[in-house]
Amino acid sequence: MDKQEKLRLVIAMVLSAIVIFGWQYLNAPSAEEQAEMARKAAEAEKKAAALTQQAEQVADAPATPAPDFKPTEGTPVTVDTPLYTAVFNSQGGVLEKFILKDYKDTIAADSPNVDLIGSKAFTKGPLGIILTKGNKEFHTWTRGKWAFSGSDIVVAEQDGTKTLTFTGQAGGFQIERVLTFHHDSYLIEEATTVTNLTGTGVEGSMSFTAAAKSMSAEDDRYNPTKVAYLNTEGREEMDDRDDLKETGLSATNGLMWGAIESNYFIFAIVPDNDEATLSAGVQDDIFRMAVNQEATFMPNVAKTLKASYFVGPTDREMLNKMPNQLGDAVNFGWFDFLAKPMLVGLNFFYDYVGNYGIAIILLTIVIKLIFWPLSQKSYGSMEQMKKLQPMVAKLRDKYGDDKQRLNQETMALYKTYKVNPMGGCLPMVVQIPVFFGLYKALLGAVELRHAPFIAHVPFTDLPWLADLSAKDPYYITPIIMGASMFLQQKMTPSAGDPTQQKVMMFMPLIFTFMFLQFPSGLVIYWLLNNILSIGQQLMIARSTKAKAAAKEA
C-alpha cells in the first residue's frame, strides 16, 4: 500500500467515525427523554415481572371458574327522565335512541323530537365498551354475551338519581356496567367493573365510546357537526368530514373531555383518568369517538374504571356545572369574549319580556346607547365634511389631472378646518367586533334555536320570523335592511372621487346579498341599528342647521 492509499484509508476512517459519532450525538435523546425512557422501562419490567409471577403461580391451576352467568336475548330498556327518553339495548348496554323532550327537529307542529343517535349509529356502539387484551379488541356489544334482569326505569324529580346495571362476558372478562341517571341533568355517570377470568394477567385497556348521526346538514357551513376536545394544551376541534374520514383525530396529554357536537347539541365523554386518550373519526357517515384508558387486568381481580357522558343540548349553564371544564365545549371562536356577555344580556331581557325578538331589540338599543357618544362625534364630523364638499369639488376641477397634488390640497383643506375624513368610518370599525360577537351568539346559542319573534305574517297563517336562528324565509327584513343602508349611504358624504362614490353606493347591495342567508335575529339587530343611526344623523343635521341659522341671524 503506497502512501496515497494509506492517506485515503485514514481519511475514510476519520469520515466514517465522524458520521457514526455525529449521528449518535445529533440523535441522542436528551437527559429528560432518557429519564422518561428509563422510568417507562422500569415500569414495564415491573409489570412484566408481576404478570410473570402471577402466571407461574397459576400455571398449573385451572382458570378462575366463571360465575353463574346465563345470557339473555338483547332487549330494549327505556330510561325516562323529565328531560329525555333513552332506549338502551341490553346486548352491551349501547344506546338505540336518545330523544330530547324539549327539542323538535323543525318548527312544524307535527315535527318529531330530536333523536341524537339515529338508527344507523346503533351498530357503531354509542355508549359502548371496547376491551383490549394485547393487540386484540373486543367490541363487547358484538363480541360478548350479556344478561339483563331489570326493567325500564323512570327517574322522577323526587327520585334524584336511579341506576341501570348490565352484566356480560367478552374476551375472557366478566363485565358489570352501572349507569347512573339524573332527573335534572343530561349527565350519565358510568362505573364499569372488569374481572379477568383467565389464569394470566394481561396488559390491556378499556374504551368508552360515542357514536351519533350528524347533528346538522352536511352542507351547513354555519352549523357543522364536529369533533372537539380539551386537554392540557387547550381546546381543539375538527369539522372537515373528509379529514375525519381519512385521518381522524387523536388527543393525549391530560385529556379533559372529548365531544361530538354541533352548535346546538353535544355527545361528550368525560374520563375519570387524566392519562386517558382520545381517537375519533367518521365512518359510514356516523361520527365515532373512543376515550381509552390503559389498565392491567390481573387474574380474578376486579378493576373498576369510570367515565361520564353528557348527551343533550349545548345548555351553557348546565355544561358549566359539569366536571373537567366541559363548559368550554361551547366556544364562539375569536369572538367568544363578546358573544357570551351578549347572551347574558339577551337572556336578562328575555326573562322580562318572554320573546327573544323583543330581547334583541332591547339589547340593540343598549348597544346603541353605549356607542352613542362615539357615533355623535363621528356624525358631527360628517356634517362638517358636507360643508367642505363644494371646496373639494373645486379642488378636483383644478387638480383633477394631478392626483398627488389633489390629495395634498384636499388633506390641507381638511387640516385647515380640523376635519377627520376617517371619522365617519370609526363607528363602523368599532361595531364590527360587536356585530361578529352577536352573529356568533345568535348562530350558536341553543336558546335561539326555534325561538320565534313574529310567528306568522300578520293576518295570515304563513310562518315568518318563527325561528330567529334561521334566515327570513321571504327575505323581507334583509331587503328593508338594505334600503336603510342605502339611505344611510346617501346621507354620508364621501371624500373620494366620483368613481369611488359609485363603488360605495354598491355596498348596501352587497350587504343585502350577504344578509339574505343570515339568521333573522342578526338581521333584526342590524336593521334596527341602521334605523337608530339614521335618526341620530337627522338629529345632528337639524342641530347643525339650527346653529348655522342662529349665526346668520
Side-chain angles (χ1 to χ4, degrees):
M1 183 180 296
D2 58 20
K3 288 184 177 179
Q4 194 170 8
E5 287 179 335
K6 290 179 179 177
L7 180 60
R8 288 175 183 167
L9 178 61
V10 170
I11 293 173
M13 293 177 65
V14 170
L15 290 175
S16 299
I18 291 173
V19 170
I20 294 171
F21 292 109
W23 184 89
Q24 290 180 346
Y25 176 78
L26 293 174
N27 293 277
S30 64
E32 292 79 8
E33 290 173 332
Q34 289 180 356
E36 181 63 17
M37 291 167 62
R39 186 189 67 77
K40 289 183 177 179
E43 191 174 299
E45 187 176 349
K46 187 177 178 183
K47 286 184 178 179
L51 293 175
T52 302
Q53 186 179 10
Q54 286 285 340
E56 290 173 351
Q57 289 175 356
V58 298
D60 299 325
T64 304
D68 187 19
F69 178 76
K70 293 181 180 178
T72 57
E73 291 286 329
T75 58
V77 183
T78 300
V79 177
D80 190 78
T81 80
L83 299 175
Y84 61 84
T85 298
V87 180
F88 291 83
N89 192 297
S90 63
Q91 177 63 25
V94 295
L95 273 171
E96 290 186 357
K97 298 176 183 177
F98 198 92
I99 300 171
L100 304 178
K101 292 186 175 180
D102 296 330
Y103 298 88
K104 290 184 174 293
D105 280 334
T106 69
I107 59 174
D110 58 349
S111 172
N113 287 63
V114 171
D115 174 13
L116 289 180
I117 302 302
S119 57
K120 292 182 180 178
F122 169 62
T123 58
K124 306 298 183 185
L127 235 70
I129 295 293
I130 298 175
L131 289 172
T132 304
K133 182 195 293 182
N135 295 323
K136 293 182 179 179
E137 278 191 357
F138 296 91
H139 294 210
T140 60
W141 62 93
T142 59
R143 297 183 63 184
K145 296 179 179 179
W146 291 80
F148 181 72
S149 58
S151 61
D152 298 343
I153 60 173
V154 176
V155 189
E157 184 175 351
Q158 63 272 18
D159 298 322
T161 61
K162 280 190 176 180
T163 60
L164 205 58
T165 301
F166 298 101
T167 57
Q169 291 183 356
F173 295 107
Q174 174 76 20
I175 309 163
E176 181 183 76
R177 303 186 63 188
V178 180
L179 301 171
T180 302
F181 305 90
H182 299 252
H183 80 280
D184 59 350
S185 168
Y186 298 95
L187 182 70
I188 301 172
E189 295 161 311
E190 168 156 17
T192 294
T193 301
V194 177
T195 305
N196 183 359
L197 299 178
T198 66
T200 306
V202 293
E203 288 294 331
S205 65
M206 184 163 71
S207 298
F208 300 91
T209 69
K213 64 179 183 179
S214 176
M215 298 175 183
S216 55
E218 187 171 355
D219 58 348
D220 190 345
R221 57 195 175 98
Y222 296 112
N223 179 25
T225 299
K226 58 198 173 190
V227 175
Y229 68 84
L230 178 70
N231 63 5
T232 54
E233 296 174 359
R235 183 185 186 282
E236 295 289 340
E237 65 179 42
M238 180 183 284
D239 60 14
D240 189 298
R241 295 195 188 204
D242 291 334
D243 289 345
L244 284 169
K245 285 178 185 175
E246 294 168 7
T247 61
L249 181 67
S250 60
T252 56
N253 298 334
L255 181 71
M256 304 286 281
W257 51 261
I260 300 167
E261 63 176 4
S262 66
N263 288 356
Y264 307 124
F265 302 107
I266 181 171
F267 189 159
I269 301 178
V270 182
D272 188 53
N273 186 327
D274 60 6
E275 294 184 353
T277 60
L278 174 141
S279 57
V282 172
Q283 186 179 52
D284 301 329
D285 291 329
I286 299 299
F287 286 78
R288 303 188 70 182
M289 181 175 65
V291 171
N292 184 64
Q293 299 183 26
E294 293 185 356
T296 301
F297 300 107
M298 305 303 286
N300 201 30
V301 175
K303 191 176 191 68
T304 300
L305 296 176
K306 297 180 179 179
S308 302
Y309 309 90
F310 188 96
V311 191
T314 52
D315 183 319
R316 297 182 305 284
E317 186 176 352
M318 193 179 291
L319 285 169
N320 285 333
K321 297 176 183 175
M322 296 297 112
N324 286 17
Q325 302 177 38
L326 188 55
D328 289 349
V330 179
N331 185 280
F332 298 107
W334 287 49
F335 299 96
D336 191 70
F337 70 103
L338 282 172
K340 287 180 176 174
M342 286 186 185
L343 284 174
V344 172
L346 198 63
N347 285 308
F348 172 80
F349 290 123
Y350 177 79
D351 289 341
Y352 288 97
V353 299
N355 182 301
Y356 274 109
I358 298 174
I360 289 172
I361 290 172
L362 294 174
L363 182 65
T364 306
I365 293 171
V366 170
I367 293 174
K368 189 64 186 175
L369 288 174
I370 292 173
F371 287 108
W372 188 273
L374 186 62
S375 300
Q376 191 81 357
K377 190 173 182 180
S378 172
Y379 295 144
S381 178
M382 287 183 190
E383 287 301 315
Q384 288 181 302
M385 283 188 64
K386 274 186 183 178
K387 295 177 183 176
L388 301 182
Q389 288 306 299
M391 287 185 269
V392 172
K394 287 181 180 177
L395 290 175
R396 191 175 295 122
D397 292 339
K398 188 174 180 179
Y399 303 108
D401 296 332
D402 187 348
K403 297 292 183 186
Q404 186 176 1
R405 181 68 184 277
L406 176 60
N407 288 334
Q408 289 175 348
E409 294 296 331
T410 304
M411 294 309 296
L413 179 67
Y414 290 148
K415 190 174 181 181
T416 302
Y417 287 90
K418 298 179 180 177
V419 174
N420 182 0
M422 299 303 293
C425 301
L426 190 57
M428 178 73 78
V429 173
V430 172
Q431 288 184 67
I432 284 177
V434 178
F435 166 78
F436 277 106
L438 189 61
Y439 165 74
K440 298 294 289 185
L442 295 177
L443 201 64
V446 69
E447 57 265 47
L448 268 296
R449 181 181 183 269
H450 295 178
F453 178 29
I454 302 170
H456 300 92
V457 176
F459 311 113
T460 72
D461 293 331
L462 299 172
W464 182 55
L465 304 182
D467 180 0
L468 288 167
S469 68
K471 66 180 182 181
D472 183 335
Y474 308 115
Y475 306 114
I476 296 172
T477 48
I479 291 172
I480 298 175
M481 189 281 304
S484 70
M485 280 195 76
F486 180 77
L487 178 60
Q488 200 174 13
Q489 194 75 41
K490 294 291 286 183
M491 296 171 65
T492 304
S494 173
D497 58 33
T499 304
Q500 191 176 349
Q501 291 179 26
K502 290 179 182 176
V503 171
M504 290 301 293
M505 292 308 291
F506 275 101
M507 292 301 290
L509 186 62
I510 295 171
F511 268 70
T512 302
F513 182 76
M514 288 170 51
F515 274 64
L516 292 177
Q517 304 299 323
F518 278 7
S520 55
L522 187 68
V523 181
I524 290 169
Y525 160 75
W526 201 252
L527 170 59
L528 181 61
N529 186 65
N530 283 353
I531 292 172
L532 294 174
S533 297
I534 290 170
Q536 190 177 12
Q537 282 182 263
L538 288 174
M539 287 173 58
I540 293 173
R542 288 179 181 176
S543 174
T544 304
K545 285 182 181 178
K547 288 179 181 176
K551 285 183 178 178
E552 290 176 0

